[in-house]
Amino acid sequence: MVSSLARVVSPEVVKVDSLDASLDLQAVIDGSGLTAKKSVTFKPGQIQLLKESLGWLHHGHPKLMRVTGYAGTGKTTVVKYLVLLADHLGILDASDGEIWGCGPTHQACSVLKDSLDGVGVKQVATAHSILGLRPQEVEFSLLHRAQLADLKAVPLEERTSDQLHLIDALTDRQHAAEERLQRFMPTEFHKNIGNVRLLIVDEWSMIDSTLF
């Protein structure tokens, strides 16, 4: 359903004044050769989202635009044609900077790369690589976190020696994991991120607050 595909723009709603309101984007797409391999017919809600996205990309403000929706509502297709149309309409070109894609895992990056094949995306890498972060060598999972919370809930005077040792071990593990996550190791991607004009982030819901 079209209503299931929405955009959330932060911190303010984009005003689409860079495009003629009467512009028939479907006609532009059909007549531009952008759908040479496969005909694509967009629904009214998707066309509106494309217009708002093009306006947002033209102004470059706010810095963040988030597209949400259930699986199969056309999020990736809209993003793909956003890039194609931005290039076709002259809103975005090579002189403006590169287009990169990223995701939380290598699998997500592989899917994104296949989905955006042929639209001019220069690099696709994990969010960790782009940020210059090395993966954690020490894991402190939700299970570890819950276990530590349960142990600390026991009154100090009632804790056994085994519980005290386990609290110390879990606390050390937590500190080691956090220290490793925060360790900054510049990568080739991070060094070149200044050249990026548009960064497409897939599987947004898997990016935690620390990474964000």
Side-chain angles (χ1 to χ4, degrees):
M1 296 177 61
V2 176
S3 61
S4 297
L5 181 63
R7 86 278 180 264
V8 180
V9 186
S10 175
E12 61 188 45
V13 176
V14 172
K15 302 299 182 183
V16 190
D17 54 8
S18 61
L19 296 173
D20 185 343
S22 63
L23 178 64
D24 188 341
L25 276 186
Q26 186 66 59
V28 172
I29 293 168
D30 294 340
S32 63
L34 297 178
T35 58
K37 293 183 179 180
K38 182 180 179 181
S39 177
V40 177
T41 301
F42 288 98
K43 297 176 181 179
Q46 294 172 320
I47 290 293
Q48 181 60 28
L49 177 56
L50 276 170
K51 284 190 175 184
E52 293 186 4
S53 301
L54 288 166
W56 164 77
L57 189 56
H58 173 76
H59 290 294
H61 179 78
K63 296 295 185 183
L64 169 68
M65 184 171 188
R66 182 161 56 112
V67 178
T68 63
Y70 296 111
T73 52
K75 299 185 298 297
T76 302
T77 301
V78 167
V79 171
K80 177 178 181 177
Y81 280 89
L82 164 64
V83 176
L84 290 171
L85 284 166
D87 177 65
H88 181 74
L89 296 173
I91 295 174
L92 184 67
D93 58 40
S95 63
D96 293 322
E98 298 174 353
I99 302 171
W100 285 14
C102 79
T105 64
H106 290 290
Q107 178 63 31
C109 288
S110 178
V111 172
L112 181 63
K113 188 173 183 179
D114 289 342
S115 300
L116 299 179
D117 183 44
V119 302
V121 176
K122 181 81 172 181
Q123 301 277 8
V124 177
T126 63
H128 293 82
S129 295
I130 288 177
L131 293 172
L133 296 173
R134 297 282 296 273
Q136 296 183 60
E137 292 181 347
V138 179
E139 181 187 16
F140 190 73
S141 66
L142 290 176
L143 182 60
H144 290 134
R145 193 178 301 276
Q147 187 178 13
L148 181 58
D150 289 342
L151 287 168
K152 287 185 174 181
V154 177
L156 183 60
E157 64 275 8
E158 297 179 14
R159 295 175 188 173
T160 67
S161 59
D162 287 342
Q163 288 176 323
L164 290 172
H165 287 311
L166 188 52
I167 288 174
D168 288 340
L170 286 170
T171 301
D172 289 343
R173 187 183 187 94
Q174 181 181 25
H175 290 163
E178 291 173 349
E179 180 182 357
R180 188 58 183 166
L181 179 62
Q182 295 169 5
R183 186 172 298 178
F184 180 67
M185 303 290 288
T187 63
E188 179 182 352
F189 297 111
H190 179 267
K191 293 174 183 176
N192 294 321
I193 200 169
N195 300 326
V196 177
R197 172 70 170 82
L198 175 64
L199 179 63
I200 300 168
V201 183
D202 196 21
E203 299 291 352
W204 174 278
S205 61
M206 293 178 64
I207 305 293
D208 64 20
S209 58
T210 304
L211 261 185
F212 181 77

